[in-house]
C-alpha cells in the first residue's frame, strides 16, 4: 500500500471566480517515489475553534454559535466548513495542486458567522482526506486513500475578508423567507423606491417614527399650569 501525505502550503482568494472562492495550495506525497496515474480525492474541511484565542468583540460576535465565554469549555466544538472533491493529475513521488473551495456570505451558515466574527489573526482549519489512487509503474493498481490522512492549516483571516470584499464590497447579505421577500417587494413597488437599501431605510424610519410617537411626552407648561402643578403668578413657593 502506498502511503500518502498531504500538506496545505497556502491559500488565496480567487479574484476571477463567479462567487466567493478560496483556493488552497496542497502538497501531495506518495511513499517510495510511487508512480500515481491519478488521485480521486475527497476533502472535508472543518474549523477547530478551540485552537485559538478570542478578543472581547470576537467573543460577543461568536455568542450565537458557542454561547457565553464561560461555557466555551463544552461548547467550542468543531464547525463544518466545506466538503469538496479534487482530481489530482499524474505524478511521481510528489506534486502540488490547487483545491478550489466555494464559499458563501450566507449568515445562516455557521462557518460564515464564525469567520465574520473574527477581527484578525488566523482561523484554525483541519483538512480530512480520503479517496482512491490509481498507481503502478506498468499497468495500474487501485488503492484507497486511508481515512486517517489529514492536514492542519491556520488560514489568515484577512484572506477571507479580502474574498468577501471582492464580491460584496462594503455590503452585507441577508436571506429572507419567500413570503417576507414578497412583502418587501410589494412595499418597494408601492413607494416607488429605487433600491433595497432605500426600502430598508424607509422601513427603519417608519419604525423609528412609530416608536417615538408611542413614548409618553411631558405635558406643556400651559397644561401644567392648568393642572396646578406650577405656581401661579404671585404665589409663594416653599423654601
Amino acid at each position: 500500500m502506498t502511503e500518502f501525505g498531504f500538506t496545505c502550503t497556502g491559500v488565496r482568494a480567487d479574484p476571477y471566480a463567479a462567487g466567493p472562492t478560496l483556493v488552497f495550495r496542497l502538497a501531495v506525497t506518495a511513499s517510495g517515489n510511487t508512480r500515481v496515474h491519478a488521485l480521486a480525492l475527497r476533502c472535508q474541511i472543518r474549523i477547530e475553534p478551540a485552537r485559538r484565542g478570542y478578543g472581547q468583540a470576537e467573543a460577543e460576535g461568536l455568542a450565537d454559535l458557542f454561547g457565553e465565554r464561560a461555557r466555551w469549555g463544552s461548547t467550542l466544538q468543531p464547525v463544518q466548513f466545506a466538503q469538496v472533491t479534487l482530481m489530482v493529475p499524474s505524478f511521481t513521488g510528489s506534486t502540488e495542486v490547487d483545491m478550489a473551495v466555494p464559499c458563501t456570505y450566507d449568515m445562516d451558515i455557521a462557518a460564515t458567522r464564525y469567520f465574520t466574527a473574527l477581527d484578525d489573526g488566523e482561523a484554525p482549519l483541519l483538512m480530512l482526506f480520503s479517496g482512491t489512487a490509481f498507481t503502478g509503474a506498468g499497468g495500474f493498481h487501485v488503492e484507497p486513500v486511508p481515512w486517517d490522512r489529514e492536514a492542519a492549516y491556520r488560514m489568515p483571516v484577512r484572506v477571507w475578508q479580502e474574498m468577501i470584499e471582492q464580491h460584496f464590497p462594503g455590503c452585507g447579505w441577508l436571506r429572507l423567507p419567500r413570503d417576507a421577500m414578497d412583502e418587501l417587494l410589494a412595499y418597494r413597488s408601492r413607494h416607488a423606491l429605487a433600491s433595497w437599501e432605500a426600502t430598508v431605510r424607509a422601513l427603519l424610519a417608519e419604525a423609528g417614527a412609530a416608536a417615538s410617537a408611542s413614548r409618553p411626552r411631558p405635558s406643556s407648561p400651559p397644561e401644567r399650569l392648568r393642572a396646578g402643578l406650577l405656581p401661579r403668578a404671585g404665589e409663594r413657593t416653599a423654601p
Side-chain angles (χ1 to χ4, degrees):
M1 293 287 291
T2 305
E3 289 290 329
F4 290 95
F6 302 92
T7 305
C8 183
T9 61
V11 63
R12 70 180 191 276
D14 188 348
Y16 305 109
T21 302
L22 292 173
V23 180
F24 292 88
R25 188 69 173 173
L26 295 181
V28 184
T29 59
S31 63
N33 209 33
T34 302
R35 172 70 171 169
V36 179
H37 300 286
L39 184 59
L41 202 59
R42 294 185 296 273
C43 179
Q44 178 186 146
I45 308 176
R46 69 187 189 190
I47 303 165
E48 301 280 294
R51 294 188 177 181
R52 63 156 283 169
Y54 302 91
Q56 183 59 34
E58 292 174 329
E60 292 174 359
L62 294 170
D64 63 333
L65 285 180
F66 306 120
E68 298 178 357
R69 193 190 285 268
R71 300 175 52 210
W72 282 10
S74 59
T75 62
L76 216 60
Q77 300 298 319
V79 175
Q80 179 74 11
F81 174 30
Q83 188 161 337
V84 295
T85 58
L86 175 66
M87 183 61 72
V88 180
S90 175
F91 68 94
T92 300
S94 64
T95 188
E96 289 194 2
V97 292
D98 286 336
M99 182 175 68
V101 177
C103 303
T104 177
Y105 197 32
D106 186 346
M107 294 300 289
D108 286 340
I109 305 299
T112 302
R113 295 208 305 276
Y114 176 83
F115 290 129
T116 302
L118 303 184
D119 294 329
D120 54 18
E122 298 170 331
L125 304 179
L126 184 64
M127 300 179 177
L128 307 172
F129 297 96
S130 62
T132 305
F134 302 90
T135 64
F140 63 84
H141 307 283
V142 178
E143 301 183 38
V145 176
W147 284 89
D148 62 352
R149 303 294 90 180
E150 61 183 42
Y153 181 68
R154 301 185 72 85
M155 182 182 75
V157 174
R158 60 173 176 77
V159 177
W160 173 272
Q161 294 169 343
E162 290 170 3
M163 177 192 68
I164 295 300
E165 190 64 19
Q166 287 173 2
H167 293 273
F168 306 100
C171 298
W173 193 94
L174 183 65
R175 185 175 68 176
L176 295 173
R178 187 176 298 278
D179 56 347
M181 197 68 200
D182 290 342
E183 292 178 20
L184 273 177
L185 182 59
Y187 180 90
R188 176 177 174 177
S189 299
R190 259 193 331 268
H191 294 82
L193 297 167
S195 65
W196 288 115
E197 179 185 0
T199 303
V200 173
R201 288 189 180 279
L203 286 169
L204 290 173
E206 286 185 9
S212 298
S214 64
R215 295 194 195 101
R217 297 182 179 181
S219 56
S220 61
E223 292 172 338
R224 292 178 182 178
L225 286 173
R226 287 193 294 271
L229 300 178
L230 293 178
R232 296 184 184 88
E235 286 185 346
R236 297 178 61 186
T237 59

